[in-house]
């Protein structure tokens, strides 16, 4: 018996309007063009500065080090005198520990000196103690030929007064913070944290902890997207407010969007951005602001929505990610991450995919998609890449198993031994 086709209704259009797929680079450029970086500045102590974006160039008011100093425990000498006295040795005229300023070196003597201590005037080298012999009278002989300037750290060799040590727009790491401390800064101007409202959409969603696994109603699933999205956002320095799960209802969606738009820089949702009649994100955003719905030529992750939610004093950005967890994860990395970086004032927002390595595939991928693919892979000790067997956009295990993504061009089949582009997740998650 042949199946009867279901007649189209007002809710299931017989002909869908077809929009061409947008290449990722084009989508990213258009998305970033909507962003004006945040210019709100606050002061933070260095203790709280990790991950914050520096708002102004940090310029040093001093040379670091501030004086020539010894890089060794040993003897400060005048090399010519030490060479001339290589038979008889020279007496020790003073002792200079770190933090103390010695007298000028008396001629025909050496100074006992320690790492970090200022070089006394008239000394032109430090000889490490292992390269000296000390006789019973305490006279020091240099036994390994010494060179003028050796073991002396020069004033200003690390930082010169007036130089910029960390540029505005840098997302601060521990090493930057150490450098800021070395020029005497105790608190620094940073861009305020972005405020992001996070929402998951779908009648099927239940929060972990709300219901025990054994009691999960038929058709329900635990919501996972908001959990990894919240942490990805926090790693980018955002303050996250999780609004929880929204039911598939236009009114509830509009209500939540209206509230969230009031005091957030970005409202980020997952799910509900396809074109089914249960997808209410699009009409809700359209009624409160403006929306573009894109089909991006990547797999996983095709549907992507962005726009704005208006409020009395401006607007919040809106981004809607696909509901499938892997799609949501990948679109976050390649689109939302650079978006947040730019909005948070970070200067050197890299391209969509960060650092790329050329590595060897230890797998076959004979049937590529016509979209650019991001395959979940793991690198072994020899640098070869292995493919997670199930590349479905619903299989979050593939991401947790992987340590990187293969960035595969549209229509590109892969055979074992081919060189492919590998994006380490460690770079994209930071
Ligand atoms: P949608 O984009 O709303 O059509 O959802 C696509 C798929 O992703 C469906 O199978 C949803 O159940 C699933 N999904 C949507 N939101 C979430 C979420 N927050 N956590 C886990 N899966 C989700
Ligand atoms: Mg849904």
């Amino acid at each position: 018996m042949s199946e009867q086709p279901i007649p189209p209704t007002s809710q299931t259009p017989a002909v869908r309007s077809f929009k061409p797929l947008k290449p990722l680079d084009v989508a990213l450029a258009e998305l970033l063009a909507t962003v004006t970086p945040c210019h709100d500045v606050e002061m933070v102590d260095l203790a709280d500065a990790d991950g914050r974006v520096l708002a102004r160039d940090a310029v040093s008011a001093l040379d670091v080090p501030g004086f020539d100093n010894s890089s060794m425990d040993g003897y400060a000498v005048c090399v010519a005198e030490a060479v001339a006295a290589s038979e008889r040795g020279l007496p020790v005229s003073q002792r200079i520990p770190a933090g103390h300023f010695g007298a000028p070196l008396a001629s025909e003597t050496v100074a006992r000196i320690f790492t970090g201590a200022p070089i006394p005037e008239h000394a032109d080298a430090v000889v490490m103690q292992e390269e000296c012999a000390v006789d019973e009278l305490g006279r020091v002989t240099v036994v390994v030929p010494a060179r003028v300037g050796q073991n002396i750290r020069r004033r200003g060799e690390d930082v010169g007064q007036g130089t910029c040590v960390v540029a505005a727009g840098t997302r601060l790491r521990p090493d930057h913070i150490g450098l800021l401390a070395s020029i005497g800064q105790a608190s620094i101007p940073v861009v305020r944290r972005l405020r992001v409202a996070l929402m998951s959409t779908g009648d099927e969603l239940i929060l972990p902890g709300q219901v025990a696994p054994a009691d999960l109603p038929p058709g329900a699933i635990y919501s996972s997207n908001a959990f990894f999205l919240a942490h990805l956002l926090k790693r980018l320095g955002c303050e996250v407010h999780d609004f929880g799960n929204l039911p598939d209802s236009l009114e509830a969606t509009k209500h939540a969007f209206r509230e969230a738009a009031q005091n957030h820089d970005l409202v980020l949702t997952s799910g509900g951005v396809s074109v089914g009649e249960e997808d209410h994100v699009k009409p809700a955003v359209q009624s409160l602001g403006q929306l573009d719905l894109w089909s991006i030529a990547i797999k996983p992750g095709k549907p992507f929505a962005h726009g704005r939610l208006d409020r009395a004093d401006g607007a919040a950005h809106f981004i809607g990610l696909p509901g499938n967890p892997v799609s949501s994860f990948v679109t976050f990395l390649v689109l939302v991450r650079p978006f947040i970086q730019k909005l948070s004032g970070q200067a050197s927002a890299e391209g969509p995919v960060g650092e790329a390595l050329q590595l060897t595939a230890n797998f076959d991928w004979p049937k590529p998609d016509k979209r650019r693919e991001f395959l979940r892979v793991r690198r072994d000790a020899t640098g070869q890449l292995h493919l997670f067997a199930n590349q479905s956009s619903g299989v979050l295990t593939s991401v947790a198993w992987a340590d990187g993504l293969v960035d595969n061009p549209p229509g590109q089949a892969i055979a074992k031994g081919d060189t492919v582009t590998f994006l380490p997740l460690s770079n994209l998650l930071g």
Side-chain angles (χ1 to χ4, degrees), residues 308-325:
R308 38 158 244 273
L309 296 166
D310 294 330
R311 58 175 181 243
D313 63 344
H317 287 278
F318 173 83
I319 290 181
L321 298 176
N324 277 309

Side-chain angles (χ1 to χ4, degrees), residues 65-74 96-101 113-119 126 151-153:
F67 46 87
D68 291 355
N69 69 91
S70 177
S71 65
M72 291 288 169
D73 289 343
I96 315 173
H100 297 266
F101 210 85
I113 196 164
F114 298 88
T115 305
I119 303 294
V126 171
N151 300 325
I152 296 178
R153 301 189 286 216

Side-chain angles (χ1 to χ4, degrees), residues 15-211:
V15 183
R16 264 209 197 145
S17 63
F18 176 79
K19 271 196 188 171
L21 295 179
K22 207 181 262 295
L24 178 60
D25 295 339
V26 174
L28 182 64
E30 288 183 23
L31 182 67
L32 293 183
T34 68
V35 175
T36 306
C38 177
H39 289 303
D40 300 341
V41 175
E42 63 191 24
M43 298 299 289
V44 293
D45 290 345
L46 287 193
D48 302 316
D50 190 28
R52 303 302 299 271
V53 176
L54 189 66
R56 287 195 280 277
D57 286 352
V59 175
S60 180
L62 77 169
D63 288 327
V64 180
F67 46 87
D68 291 355
N69 69 91
S70 177
S71 65
M72 291 288 169
D73 289 343
Y75 297 90
V77 303
C78 166
V79 171
E81 289 178 3
V83 169
S86 59
E87 295 294 315
R88 57 195 154 90
L90 295 171
V92 177
S93 56
Q94 61 178 318
R95 189 173 182 279
I96 315 173
H100 297 266
F101 210 85
L105 186 64
S107 71
E108 300 283 305
T109 71
V110 299
R112 181 76 172 114
I113 196 164
F114 298 88
T115 305
I119 303 294
E121 212 181 315
H122 306 320
D124 58 15
V126 171
V127 184
M128 56 199 283
Q129 59 200 26
E130 295 85 341
E131 295 179 351
C132 294
V134 184
D135 68 16
E136 63 283 3
L137 296 171
R139 298 170 76 93
V140 176
T141 309
V142 175
V143 295
V144 177
R147 178 178 49 74
V148 169
Q150 75 178 23
N151 300 325
I152 296 178
R153 301 189 286 216
R154 291 295 173 194
R155 172 179 182 156
E157 75 172 27
D158 186 357
V159 177
Q161 182 179 357
T163 56
C164 170
V165 297
V166 187
T170 303
R171 186 173 293 283
L172 297 172
R173 301 182 313 234
D175 46 312
H176 297 128
I177 296 167
L179 192 53
L180 292 167
S182 79
I183 64 165
Q185 305 222 343
S187 63
I188 48 164
V190 296
V191 180
R192 73 159 168 78
R193 289 188 187 282
L194 298 181
R195 291 185 287 268
V196 181
L198 193 55
M199 299 175 196
S200 310
T201 75
D203 282 346
E204 73 279 30
L205 302 179
I206 302 268
L207 287 174
Q210 215 176 355
V211 172

Side-chain angles (χ1 to χ4, degrees), residues 221-232:
I221 61 167
Y222 288 119
S223 168
S224 54
N225 296 352
F227 290 87
F228 63 72
L229 291 172
H231 287 292
L232 289 168

